[in-house]
Amino acid sequence: MILGIGSDLANIDRIQGTLDRFGDRFRNRVFTETEQRKSESRADVAGTYAKRWAAKEACSKALGTGLRMGISWKDMAVSNLRTGQPVMAVTGWAKERLDEMTPEGHEAIIHVTLTDDHPWAQAFVVIEARRITAP
């Protein structure tokens, strides 16, 4: 069953401007160390940050809160599987919210997809509840 859906569109040039203006202050406020390492290792640094920004916005919408009610940017973190597939992990208040919205007897799965076509970066997040089956 679908618990939440969120999407966001971020302007890569705006993210680049923010990086230029605020640098590490912006990076450290919004992105985890893993996200920063990934973004800084890519040819399109701003595009990679913009996709992760969009994913965090989309996740907060899928959680039904937006970026309010105590949620922190770092409570939502994008990483990649070895295949390159993006995955979203939540901690802190975002995890509490996810647990709260997940029906008993189910586990929450967060699906995320990212794309970009300069100057835009886009993310979609779908939160699914899967019934837990006994082994």
Side-chain angles (χ1 to χ4, degrees), residues 42 45 51-52 57 70 85 89-90 106-108 130-131 134:
R42 302 298 301 264
V45 172
K51 286 186 281 190
R52 278 149 181 73
E57 288 273 9
Q85 176 185 344
V90 292
H106 290 75
E107 64 178 339
R130 282 191 197 156
R131 182 168 296 282

Side-chain angles (χ1 to χ4, degrees), residues 55-70:
K56 291 169 185 274
E57 288 273 9
C59 184
S60 71
K61 293 171 185 174
L63 289 168
T65 63
L67 285 161
R68 58 182 174 84
M69 298 176 60

Side-chain angles (χ1 to χ4, degrees), residues 100-113:
E100 185 180 284
M101 60 192 285
T102 304
E104 191 168 325
H106 290 75
E107 64 178 339
I109 311 295
I110 302 174
H111 304 276
V112 60
T113 186

